[in-house]
Amino acid sequence: MENYIFDFDGTLADSGQAAVLATQSAFKEFNLATPTTSQIEYYMGIPIEVSFKKNGAWSLFFGTSIF
């Protein structure tokens, strides 16, 4: 048996738009201010629990907004 390892995201497919739509949908689901595409793309690639906080979803992690 042979194994093949490849980089799917950004090499075989561009999943960036799907990630933006999923992030915006999650924010809407929790009645949070929806980040723009450029805000989401700026933090793309870091762990989701970090990028969501940086995009304003503090209440999901701490129970209240910091603002």
Side-chain angles (χ1 to χ4, degrees):
M1 176 167 60
E2 293 183 37
N3 295 312
Y4 297 93
I5 299 172
F6 56 90
D7 179 12
F8 178 83
D9 189 34
T11 302
L12 298 177
D14 180 7
S15 60
Q17 185 62 27
V20 168
L21 293 173
T23 300
Q24 289 174 331
S25 178
F27 274 70
K28 288 176 188 173
E29 182 74 24
F30 286 93
N31 296 316
L32 299 169
T34 306
T36 66
T37 297
S38 60
Q39 288 172 312
I40 295 167
E41 288 174 344
Y42 182 80
Y43 293 111
M44 210 172 270
I46 62 174
I48 195 167
E49 60 274 8
V50 175
S51 67
F52 270 43
K53 289 176 190 174
K54 296 208 179 265
N55 275 305
W58 287 97
S59 61
L60 292 178
F61 299 93
F62 300 111
T64 70
S65 175
I66 61 166
F67 302 105

